[in-house]
Amino acid sequence: QSVLTQPPSVSAAPGQKVTISCSGSSSNIGKNYVSWYQQLPGTAPKLLIYDNNKRPSGIPDRFSGSKSGTSATLGITGLQTGDEADYYCGTWDSSLIAGVFGGGTKLTVL
Amino acid sequence: EVHLVESGGGLVQPGGSLRLSCVASGFTFSSYWMSWVRQAPGKGLEWVANIKQDGGEKYYVDSVKGRFTVSRDNAKNSLFLQMNSLRAEDTAVYYCVRLAARQALDYWGQGTLVTVSS
């Protein structure tokens, strides 16, 4: 049981838009910044979004992040088959004094 | 270019010990917090530990407290994870990760597999 809650899977057609939610609590998302990670099959995770909505250099602007209260959302527009991956949200939990992740969301581009 | 290369994984019996190492390059290692994150086969990511630049602060997930110890050698650009009293549920790929500000894990190694089994 992960501290942060994500849907197990989402799907959409190429070119479409998808959003992935991440729900937490006042001690984690409500108090700290959220990051998002993309894990392509058989590879290490990669930072996609940090500080709720910032993109590292090299990440296309098709990827966006937002946060409201104790929830965060990852948005991906112009879906490509190469976006098929597992996506994880993560943050710090100030009560647990620990890093926490969501359980991950598998994106399928139909 | 930032590189993180883990080593030390392998097969170990329950109750045994293993020491993971990670060599960093391409950045000033002593300026960054570092983390270990693990992923059990077919499962999601689990944060394991953080260590401050000078090693003076360390944080662990509850399930490894008292069994795992994170350390670093800034002179050798190296991060370590000493794992004792290993259990089957510690079986996972262990990633060495650079920790940027505000718990953003910005660079990941390729991972090293630890298998705890008799």
Side-chain angles (χ1 to χ4, degrees):
Chain A
Q1 191 81 354
S2 301
V3 173
L4 306 180
T5 301
Q6 298 180 233
S9 63
V10 296
S11 62
Q16 296 301 303
K17 174 183 176 178
V18 71
T19 60
I20 298 173
S21 61
C22 175
S23 178
S25 68
S26 58
S27 64
N28 43 64
I29 293 179
K31 188 170 290 187
N32 297 295
Y33 289 90
V34 176
S35 300
W36 288 91
Y37 305 90
Q38 177 193 59
Q39 187 174 31
L40 297 169
T43 70
K46 178 174 76 172
L47 179 65
L48 210 55
I49 297 288
Y50 67 99
D51 286 0
N52 302 332
N53 55 18
K54 295 182 173 63
R55 285 176 286 106
S57 174
I59 301 300
D61 59 7
R62 299 189 299 108
F63 296 91
S64 63
S66 64
K67 183 183 116 169
S68 178
T70 59
S71 293
T73 302
L74 173 70
I76 312 173
T77 59
L79 278 171
Q80 302 172 3
T81 55
D83 295 331
E84 286 200 334
D86 292 322
Y87 292 84
Y88 296 90
C89 58
T91 187
W92 184 256
D93 192 298
S94 299
S95 292
L96 296 175
I97 314 180
V100 291
F101 287 104
T105 299
K106 183 176 182 60
L107 168 64
T108 301
V109 181
L110 303 167
Chain B
E1 187 180 359
V2 172
H3 279 293
L4 299 165
V5 180
E6 304 95 336
S7 61
L11 175 63
V12 60
Q13 292 189 337
S17 297
L18 213 54
R19 188 190 195 214
L20 305 184
S21 299
C22 169
V23 177
S25 61
F27 67 101
T28 304
F29 180 73
S30 59
S31 296
Y32 286 85
W33 284 74
M34 295 296 295
S35 299
W36 287 99
V37 174
R38 67 184 179 184
Q39 186 170 34
K43 302 297 185 182
L45 302 176
E46 181 181 38
W47 171 82
V48 174
N50 283 357
I51 182 169
K52 193 177 179 180
Q53 289 94 329
D54 62 359
E57 287 184 48
K58 303 176 184 181
Y59 302 97
Y60 300 92
V61 66
D62 281 349
S63 60
V64 309
K65 284 179 183 175
R67 300 188 300 124
F68 289 13
T69 302
V70 61
S71 62
R72 64 192 296 162
D73 183 341
N74 287 339
K76 296 183 178 179
N77 290 341
S78 295
L79 177 71
F80 306 101
L81 186 66
Q82 177 66 44
M83 304 186 294
N84 299 331
S85 303
L86 282 162
R87 307 167 179 166
E89 53 265 36
D90 295 319
T91 294
V93 173
Y94 285 73
Y95 294 102
C96 167
V97 193
R98 191 177 83 167
L99 178 56
R102 299 175 287 282
Q103 196 60 19
L105 301 161
D106 64 349
Y107 286 95
W108 298 63
Q110 84 289 349
T112 187
L113 176 62
V114 172
T115 303
V116 184
S117 174
S118 55

Short mmCIF file of all heavy atoms in Angstrom, two decimals, chain B residues 53 95 107 118:
data_model
loop_
_atom_site.label_atom_id
_atom_site.label_comp_id
_atom_site.label_asym_id
_atom_site.label_seq_id
_atom_site.Cartn_x
_atom_site.Cartn_y
_atom_site.Cartn_z
N GLN B 53 25.17 15.81 2.38
CA GLN B 53 26.47 16.00 1.72
C GLN B 53 27.65 15.53 2.58
O GLN B 53 28.57 14.87 2.08
CB GLN B 53 26.68 17.48 1.37
CG GLN B 53 25.79 18.00 0.25
CD GLN B 53 24.52 18.63 0.76
OE1 GLN B 53 23.99 18.25 1.79
NE2 GLN B 53 24.01 19.61 0.03
N TYR B 95 18.78 1.28 -6.82
CA TYR B 95 19.26 2.40 -7.62
C TYR B 95 19.96 3.43 -6.72
O TYR B 95 19.44 3.80 -5.67
CB TYR B 95 18.11 3.11 -8.32
CG TYR B 95 17.41 2.31 -9.38
CD1 TYR B 95 16.17 1.71 -9.13
CD2 TYR B 95 17.94 2.16 -10.65
CE1 TYR B 95 15.50 0.98 -10.10
CE2 TYR B 95 17.29 1.44 -11.64
CZ TYR B 95 16.07 0.85 -11.35
OH TYR B 95 15.41 0.15 -12.33
N TYR B 107 19.10 12.27 -11.11
CA TYR B 107 19.90 11.34 -11.91
C TYR B 107 19.94 9.98 -11.23
O TYR B 107 20.18 9.90 -10.02
CB TYR B 107 21.32 11.87 -12.12
CG TYR B 107 21.39 13.00 -13.11
CD1 TYR B 107 21.37 14.32 -12.70
CD2 TYR B 107 21.44 12.74 -14.48
CE1 TYR B 107 21.40 15.36 -13.60
CE2 TYR B 107 21.47 13.77 -15.40
CZ TYR B 107 21.46 15.08 -14.96
OH TYR B 107 21.49 16.11 -15.86
N SER B 118 17.29 -18.63 -0.30
CA SER B 118 18.08 -19.79 0.13
C SER B 118 18.16 -20.82 -0.99
O SER B 118 18.79 -21.86 -0.84
CB SER B 118 17.46 -20.41 1.38
OG SER B 118 16.10 -20.73 1.15
#
